[in-house]
Amino acid sequence: MVITTDDLETTCPNCKGSGKEDRLPCPKCSGKGVILTGQGNTLLHFIKKHLHE
Amino acid sequence: MTNNQSNDFVVIKAVEDGVNVIGLTRGTDTRFHHSEKLDKGEVMICQFTEHTSAIKVRGEALIQTANGEMKSEAKK
């Protein structure tokens, strides 16, 4: 099974991935420039949980 | 939230690859908190919840709601 970046996150349609709007952090994505998918969140939480084991 | 609202759901079927379904937060600030990528033919059934008060669909998709059916279009 291959997971692509697109499966994990989506470019924010408001700031087009820049993370900024009018030189301030983009209010739609909290300045991240991307929105995580369900799969992205699952992987992130799994790694966070097991990283320091 | 009334029972009627909590049962509200939307059916989205992707007509093309890479359709994005984005959930927007409920509350004073409306942020994108979740996205889901659908490839052609994939179906997603989404509910409006405690956390999600709006759903945005990007790309060509067939959408069914309690109010009827509509088609979103890809950006030309």
Side-chain angles (χ1 to χ4, degrees), chain A residues 7 10 27-28 35-37, chain B residues 31-32 34-37 58:
Chain A
D7 294 327
T10 306
K28 295 284 186 183
I35 316 151
L36 262 62
T37 63
Chain B
R31 290 179 299 102
F32 300 138
H34 188 104
S35 77
E36 207 64 51
K37 194 193 84 174
R58 280 170 64 88

Side-chain angles (χ1 to χ4, degrees), chain B residues 4-75:
Chain B
N4 185 36
Q5 274 178 310
S6 67
N7 283 336
D8 253 359
F9 66 91
V10 175
V11 180
I12 301 158
K13 181 178 180 179
V15 174
E16 61 173 3
D17 277 351
V19 169
N20 282 308
V21 181
I22 302 171
L24 288 90
T25 54
R26 188 179 294 279
T28 49
D29 57 332
T30 311
R31 290 179 299 102
F32 300 138
H33 68 88
H34 188 104
S35 77
E36 207 64 51
K37 194 193 84 174
L38 302 183
D39 282 333
K40 190 178 175 176
E42 284 186 321
V43 172
M44 189 163 170
I45 303 159
C46 327
Q47 256 186 324
F48 292 99
T49 65
E50 191 189 334
H51 302 293
T52 306
S53 66
I55 295 167
K56 173 168 170 159
V57 180
R58 280 170 64 88
E60 197 179 344
L62 200 65
I63 304 161
Q64 288 181 334
T65 71
N67 301 308
E69 193 174 298
M70 76 211 77
K71 214 171 171 186
S72 64
E73 286 171 28
K75 201 175 161 188

